[in-house]
């Protein structure tokens, strides 16, 4: 039996049979207000609102409802944002690192087999989640980084391209010109907002097919203007993404360092395994981050958001910061059409 067959056999066992009976799906009651909506039929979920949600979920949903493969569905949906130069937080057009170079991170996880693949600090390839899928399917490894990941992508027919769009280059230049008043760069022209927040983005995409199998992807260009080589949570299995076919899927967006520190997505799935609803599990993961930072006297001036989908199709999301105008959102497409759900948040975002 090779490693993958072993994992396949392992995941074929019910989780209940692996846990002491006391821990196997204890009946925890969830207050009505923390129950999320339940998607019906095959479903594609993503961590965006209306603007991107429909564009992203549709191609994956079409694949799922026309007899296509679950992994093709989540990949095609995630590729929509990766290939769109208008989005400055994922794939082509993403904000570069401090040297002006776009470095991308992505991961993919297949529920039924527990197989996963990831790439980090990948340069020049527009669709990092597709490379992550090749790592999962065509190697015995889980993560490739930097030059090695790029060489591997080229071997599989991916083209090296310039990922830095004019829009992203100008945003980077403004940032560079205003780093310090003691360097040799002139300040950017009047009217430019130098104090704009560091740009973060990322997208999580999950699929649940008619058989009840789950898969997920997280893909990002990471923290804007990051130190070259910085890797966030998105390609780290258990941090930016986790899928367990017996329980559900979870993914994170926002400040990746906090999500790595808490292994956030694994924590959310583990909480759902113990009986929490997706909303409750996402809320508890946010609370854990806040609690750790508060204990260390770190101000909560950053955001993290979790989205989750359980095996029954129940959807949830929660963030640390939010407001009435900008609550955390999760979108999905199912038998009943396209939907957006607004989750809760812990702390009111300052205007
Ligand atoms: N959550 C994306 C990142 O921190 O890179």
């Amino acid at each position: 039996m090779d490693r993958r067959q072993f994992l396949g056999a392992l995941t074929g066992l019910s989780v209940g049979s692996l846990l002491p009976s006391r821990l196997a799906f204890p009946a925890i009651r969830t207050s009505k207000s923390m129950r999320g909506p339940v998607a019906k039929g095959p479903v594609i979920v993503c961590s965006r609102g209306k603007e991107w949600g429909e564009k992203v979920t549709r191609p994956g949903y079409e694949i799922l409802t026309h007899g296509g493969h679950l992994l093709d569905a989540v990949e095609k949906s995630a590729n929509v944002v990766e290939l769109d130069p208008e989005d400055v937080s994922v794939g082509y057009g993403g904000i570069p690192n401090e040297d002006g170079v776009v470095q991308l991170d992505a991961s993919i996880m297949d529920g039924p087999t527990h197989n996963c693949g990831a790439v980090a600090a990948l340069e020049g390839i527009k669709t990092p989640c597709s490379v992550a899928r090749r790592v999962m399917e065509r190697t015995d490894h889980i993560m490739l980084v930097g030059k090695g990941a790029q060489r591997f992508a080229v071997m599989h027919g991916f083209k090296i391209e310039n990922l830095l769009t004019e829009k992203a280059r100008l945003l980077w230049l403004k940032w560079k010109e205003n780093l310090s008043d003691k360097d040799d760069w002139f300040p950017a022209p009047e009217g430019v907002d130098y104090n704009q927040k560091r740009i973060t983005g990322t997208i999580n995409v999950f699929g649940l097919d008619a058989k009840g199998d789950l898969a997920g992807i997280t893909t990002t260009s990471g923290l804007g203007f990051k130190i070259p080589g910085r890797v966030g949570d998105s390609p780290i299995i258990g941090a930016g993404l986790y899928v367990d076919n017996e329980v559900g899927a979870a993914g994170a967006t926002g400040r990746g360092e906090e999500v790595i520190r808490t292994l956030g997505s694994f924590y959310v799935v583990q909480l759902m395994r113990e009986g929490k609803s997706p909303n409750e599990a996402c809320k508890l993961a946010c609370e854990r981050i806040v609690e750790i930072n508060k204990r260390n006297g770190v101000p909560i001036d950053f955001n993290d958001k979790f989205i989750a989908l359980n095996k029954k199709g129940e959807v949830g999301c929660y963030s640390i910061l939010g407001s009435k105008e900008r609550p955390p959102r999760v979108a999905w497409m199912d038998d009943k059409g396209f939907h957006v759900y607004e989750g809760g948040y812990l702390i009111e975002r300052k205007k």
Side-chain angles (χ1 to χ4, degrees):
M1 193 183 263
D2 68 24
R3 188 182 63 86
R4 289 212 166 120
Q5 284 164 339
F6 169 72
L7 286 173
L10 192 64
T11 52
L13 295 171
S14 87
V15 173
S17 69
L18 297 174
L19 293 171
S21 56
R22 193 168 50 81
L23 289 177
F25 299 110
I28 291 177
R29 249 190 229 143
T30 297
S31 73
K32 234 173 158 187
S33 62
M34 289 305 280
R35 289 258 67 123
V38 180
K40 296 273 177 252
V43 54
I44 297 286
V45 177
C46 86
S47 58
R48 296 275 172 107
K50 186 166 170 30
E51 195 195 335
W52 283 94
E54 201 161 355
K55 283 200 272 195
V56 167
T57 54
R58 187 171 296 284
Y61 183 73
E62 294 293 323
I63 291 173
L64 280 190
T65 48
H66 288 83
H69 194 280
L70 178 61
L71 288 170
D72 292 337
V74 287
E75 181 186 352
K76 285 295 161 288
S77 278
N79 285 162
V80 171
V81 196
E82 290 182 327
L83 291 168
D84 194 322
E86 281 312 304
D87 183 285
V88 295
S89 68
V90 175
Y92 175 50
I95 296 286
N97 65 20
E98 65 177 35
D99 289 345
V101 177
V102 181
Q103 292 189 323
L104 305 175
D105 299 338
S107 60
I108 184 166
M109 191 157 180
D110 178 43
T113 58
H114 256 77
N115 278 338
C116 29
V119 289
L122 174 63
E123 296 176 15
I125 309 290
K126 283 181 172 171
T127 52
C129 83
S130 300
V131 185
R133 182 173 174 189
R134 294 294 200 293
V135 175
M136 173 174 80
E137 293 181 334
R138 306 291 287 270
T139 79
D140 192 34
H141 303 317
I142 286 179
M143 186 188 282
L144 295 179
V145 308
K147 280 278 167 238
Q150 192 192 57
R151 254 199 315 268
F152 171 82
V154 170
M155 278 184 225
H156 281 273
F158 289 85
K159 268 203 312 226
I160 297 183
E161 296 174 83
N162 177 17
L163 304 189
L164 189 66
T165 55
E166 267 307 278
K167 182 173 164 182
R169 185 184 67 78
L170 290 172
L171 283 166
W172 170 78
L173 193 61
K174 270 184 224 165
W175 170 81
K176 185 91 180 161
E177 286 172 341
N178 291 280
L179 271 180
S180 154
D181 56 7
K182 296 186 184 62
D183 60 28
D184 298 326
W185 294 77
F186 291 129
E190 200 136 323
V192 171
D193 175 14
Y194 300 139
N195 293 321
Q196 63 179 337
K197 283 256 178 237
R198 296 285 288 280
I199 297 165
T200 52
T202 301
I203 189 163
N204 318 119
V205 178
F206 308 144
L208 175 63
D209 69 13
K211 288 187 287 179
D213 286 336
L214 288 152
I217 281 178
T218 295
T219 178
T220 190
S221 52
L223 181 67
F225 322 126
K226 60 194 172 187
I227 297 173
R230 177 262 188 192
V231 172
D233 59 315
S234 304
I236 298 178
I237 299 298
L241 175 71
Y242 199 70
V243 181
D244 186 321
N245 222 43
E246 302 283 338
V247 180
T253 56
R255 184 173 145 76
E257 282 70 12
E258 302 311 321
V259 178
I260 296 174
R261 217 189 299 285
T262 52
L263 211 55
S265 295
F266 178 76
Y267 185 51
V268 170
V269 170
Q270 200 56 24
L271 288 164
M272 293 197 292
R273 182 193 299 283
E274 288 166 11
K276 299 279 192 263
S277 72
N279 270 331
E280 277 179 310
C282 292
K283 180 176 186 231
L284 285 164
C286 292
E287 284 174 351
R288 179 102 183 99
I289 292 173
V290 170
E291 176 196 305
I292 288 169
N293 279 276
K294 280 203 168 149
R295 203 187 307 143
N296 290 305
V298 178
I300 312 297
D301 57 0
F302 57 82
N303 201 11
D304 283 301
K305 166 182 146 186
F306 291 93
I307 69 163
L309 169 71
N310 72 15
K311 184 86 175 153
K312 295 180 204 140
E314 185 176 345
V315 176
C317 73
Y318 221 89
S319 63
I320 295 176
L321 303 179
S323 65
K324 222 169 133 224
E325 298 74 37
R326 286 174 64 197
R329 294 189 175 98
V330 57
W332 68 98
M333 195 164 286
D334 66 5
D335 284 0
K336 299 225 154 52
F338 174 71
H339 319 259
V340 178
Y341 173 74
E342 297 184 345
Y345 50 88
L346 298 178
I347 302 166
E348 195 69 28
R349 188 193 284 275
K350 287 199 188 97
K351 291 270 176 260

